[in-house]
Amino acid sequence: MSQTKRSPFQRSFYVANTMEIFERLAWYGMYTLLASYIMTPSSQGGLGLGNTERGLIMGVVPFFLYLFPVISGALADRFGYRKMFLLSFILMAPSYYFLGYAKDLTSFMSIFMLIALGAGIFKPVVTATISRTTDDTNRGLGFGIFYMMVNIGGFLGPVLAPIIQKHYGWQWVFIFACIWISVNFIPALFFYKEPERHAKDKTLKQVFQEMQQVLGNFRLALLVVPLLVLLVAFYAGFIGAQSTLLIVIFLVISAAVWDITVAKYSAPNSNKVTEHDLLAPVSLPWYLQKMRIGNKPFMIYLLILTGFWTVYMQIFVTLPVYIRDFVDSSDLVSILHSLSPWLHDVLTSVNIDILSGEISRLAEYYREVDIGQSPMALQEVIRTFSALDVRIPEHEIIHSFAQLNQMQLVTDSSAEALSKNLAIQWSTQYRQMNPATILSIDFLMIIIFQIAISHVVDKFKALPALIVGTAILSVSMLMQGFAHGLIFGGLFVCCGVMVFAVGEMISAPKSQEYVASFAPKDKAAMFMGYYFVSMALGNLFAGLLSGWLYGYFASQLSRPEWMWAIIACLGFVTCIAFYFFNKHFISDIQKQQLAQKEQSLSVA
């Protein structure tokens, strides 16, 4: 039996993988700390914003990040991969640097959007490079190596960034992200060789025509886009509930009236619109067209998959803040110390000077307040200290602040000495594991087990694997709701992250594979290009949902378990939606494909 010889990888393949490591190192080093940074007090170098702003930033900006590749991919085919690589680095490097100096919501989102634009340019170009530098004999291995590089960068970022932050401060997290991105200029300029491109004449007009075929026409966008903008404006508090409802009603009624008015132009000879009509170029001007969905099964699938990504993104958007505010992870610190004192000192270090300064500042700020009789003030102090990876018991804070107030009546130097001693004592007794370090377990699990799990999952059809993986993700979300009530909460969170990683390894690859079961065979690649729209919407809804759920259930009611239960329910509802989608849509499509195949055979 003959065996096909695997082709060697081209040089640009290795260059692209190297650049992917550094790009992911920069992104995840920043992104896994972002939720904590946004809510860290400005006195500690953080942004000092609240839950609403956190949800807005982590929802809106990644939403655009996953939409940019639709256009940037076409631009890369037209102008060249190297130029687009360099453009992405030119955008990202200074933006990462200046992001650490942005001190208000507007400037932070503006600079963060530039990073999203650069990442949105980089993402399709590096993937296209892997595709262009491999062939049928080595493509599977090539993309396996590429996925491994993604997770290596994803693992190193959350491990290194907290260490940098504790020793040098928050700004250096962004400075190092700038450094990692800047390193990529070297391989892009001196080692990257432009691969052969097969769509050099693809214009933006063709891109928008493809969007109409797959997603829907411009009339549909005129309704959907304002509704999304309205949702964000309502969430941010720019517009009230009553005004929002009135505008929604107006937009929907206007779109319906518009459709009725132009109906005679869009279908003059027949009331029935065939699949051929949907995929054919539209000759009528856009304002004379009715609202039209491109490929209905694909669009419904994207909406269902949005639920999956909304649940998935909570590990980055919600979990870090939840761990910081509610979970006692001192058990992890003790375990790590018993296993490796050196790793314990590296991964769980506390900046004594900053902690001492915060003790003095908060004691002075609450000098006139009986903090033991003010639960809100006491909780605010606990959250402030938690941002420095120490979880101080309430009785300890009350007693220590009383001592500090007495010392300040004597001399300021005595109070400063006591603050220093308290900082040293607390850093030893109440030390916590940084949330980003816990999140790095997800990437480590993928690096170690992805190949083995993929080998097992490949034996099953895409839909059952996708449903099982989504259900496992939901179970992991449900597990997190119990962590804050356990004495081994840190270990339980780690177990939840491991369960999450298993669900991710099962479902994420299958979510793309499943598209092949209903996408037109001659347009499968085009449909996969718009698969990331679900990730864009998932990021948007994940950020907004997290901000609202955390603000109400966790912060106001102090019932974070209800928040995690709602997120888990969304995951289980997504599983049910996948099942009914397959039952009511895919079976019909497969019957149509079988009938078309039988008809073509009979004609032949």
Side-chain angles (χ1 to χ4, degrees), residues 308 457 460-476 499-500 502-508 510 571-572 574-576 578:
F308 167 83
V457 174
F460 300 93
K461 292 183 178 180
L463 177 69
L466 180 55
I467 292 176
V468 169
T470 305
I472 293 175
L473 287 182
S474 304
V475 170
S476 73
V499 172
F500 179 92
V502 173
E504 178 186 355
M505 286 185 278
I506 293 173
S507 55
K510 289 296 182 180
F572 291 127
T574 301
C575 293
I576 297 171
F578 278 137

Side-chain angles (χ1 to χ4, degrees), residues 66 123 127 143 146-147 298 301-302 305 308-309 462-463 465-466 504-519 524-525 527-535 578:
Y66 284 100
K123 191 175 293 290
T127 305
F143 273 95
F146 174 72
Y147 190 62
F298 184 63
Y301 176 70
L302 289 183
L305 196 60
F308 167 83
W309 290 117
L463 177 69
L466 180 55
E504 178 186 355
M505 286 185 278
I506 293 173
S507 55
K510 289 296 182 180
S511 65
Q512 299 185 49
E513 179 184 326
Y514 188 52
V515 176
S517 65
F518 57 84
F527 274 67
M528 283 306 307
Y530 295 97
Y531 162 88
F532 292 100
V533 171
S534 66
M535 297 183 69
F578 278 137

Side-chain angles (χ1 to χ4, degrees), residues 10 30 76 81 107 141 164 243 245 262 305 351 353 455 476 542:
Q10 301 178 26
M30 178 273 297
Y81 292 176
S107 60
L141 177 61
I164 294 169
S243 299
L245 181 61
V262 303
L305 196 60
N351 192 311
D353 292 334
H455 180 72
S476 73

